[in-house]
Amino acid sequence: MTSPHPPLRSYGRLKSRTIKPRQAALMDTLLPAIRAPLEPFEPRALMPGAAEVWLEIGFGGGEHLAAQAAKRPDVLFIGAEPFQNGVASALRHIDEAELKNVRVHDGDARDLLARLPDASLERVFILFPDPWPKARHHKRRLLQADTAAELARVLKVGGRLRFASDWADYVDWSLERLIATPGLSWTADRASDWRTPPADHVTTRYEEKRLGDCAPAFLDFVRT
């Protein structure tokens, strides 16, 4: 039975400034062609022969998503982002790089997770999500116990989850919930493991703005 009360939104506005004409055109032409299915689906059916399937939740302007997809054309990338200006920006990156291995969900990532089968992903990225810093808004944060459990469900054994934030309280919050999630194991052995950007990390313009209250922290977990 469908719950009469959908989960609280973990994101703010759906749109801000007017989308540029070229990007608006891509919303009408490219997005329908690469939109992730709106019903339960097997990711590999979207790209037969894909070596792996990676998911980025909250891809912002799409810089990280497009850069990773360009480096790994053998991997199917699924990006989830509700902010329409971000989706439009990502479509421009996808179009300019002529990427054929990206699919987009322009909505709440939790709806997408619910449509994925168990153990269907090799990697998940959650990079610099909305921190909702005020205590009364913490219930809106994406990383809740139930979301962490869903992430563990869709990851294959050996699959990896990366969470990054530059808000100290949100890092602590997320670490507490991820450590408590059965099937997820933190890979860090020393402080440099979370203080130093991973070798395969792609720094975006948003990250460079340093809008948080601490240096970026990177929490890598593996599905056991």
Side-chain angles (χ1 to χ4, degrees):
M1 180 181 296
T2 302
S3 171
H5 302 293
L8 289 171
R9 274 174 42 169
S10 61
Y11 46 89
R13 297 174 298 173
L14 289 175
K15 184 179 179 182
S16 60
R17 64 188 181 279
T18 301
I19 296 174
K20 297 177 181 179
R22 180 190 171 196
Q23 296 179 7
L26 291 172
M27 294 283 281
D28 293 333
T29 58
L30 180 57
L31 179 57
I34 65 171
R35 180 179 276 128
L38 298 178
E39 63 281 336
F41 67 99
E42 168 53 57
R44 278 175 170 74
L46 304 180
M47 181 178 161
E52 297 183 357
V53 181
W54 296 9
L55 168 66
E56 181 169 353
I57 295 177
F59 55 68
E63 290 177 75
H64 178 273
L65 177 68
Q68 293 284 9
K71 291 194 297 184
R72 291 294 307 271
D74 60 321
V75 171
L76 171 64
F77 286 79
I78 304 175
E81 174 61 61
F83 187 52
Q84 294 300 288
N85 297 79
V87 173
S89 174
L91 293 175
R92 177 177 63 82
H93 289 301
I94 294 167
D95 183 58
E96 289 179 349
E98 299 182 350
L99 301 174
K100 306 301 182 185
N101 58 329
V102 180
R103 302 295 180 269
V104 172
H105 171 67
D106 52 328
D108 193 320
R110 293 168 296 185
D111 295 335
L112 176 68
L113 288 172
R115 298 200 292 271
L116 293 175
D118 296 353
S120 55
L121 304 177
E122 276 81 9
R123 295 198 72 176
V124 176
F125 299 92
I126 305 175
L127 306 178
F128 304 95
D130 192 328
W132 294 101
K134 295 181 180 179
R136 68 176 183 271
H137 293 153
H138 285 181
K139 59 189 175 184
R140 293 186 178 274
R141 287 177 167 174
L142 175 66
L143 240 303
Q144 305 288 340
D146 55 348
T147 310
E150 271 290 89
L151 293 169
R153 179 186 68 79
V154 299
L155 276 170
K156 290 186 173 183
V157 173
R160 300 176 75 87
L161 163 67
R162 176 173 298 158
F163 175 90
S165 178
D166 53 5
W167 285 87
D169 177 68
Y170 200 10
V171 173
D172 292 342
W173 165 284
S174 301
L175 183 59
E176 178 182 348
R177 281 149 184 78
L178 292 170
I179 286 178
T181 302
L184 293 181
S185 178
W186 193 21
T187 63
D189 293 319
R190 55 187 67 85
S192 61
D193 290 337
W194 68 83
R195 291 175 177 168
T196 304
D200 63 348
H201 177 62
V202 176
T203 302
T204 65
R205 287 175 294 175
Y206 178 85
E207 181 185 343
E208 290 175 341
K209 293 179 180 179
R210 297 295 179 95
L211 299 177
D213 60 3
C214 70
F218 300 87
L219 309 179
D220 273 15
F221 280 75
V222 64
R223 180 69 166 91
T224 56

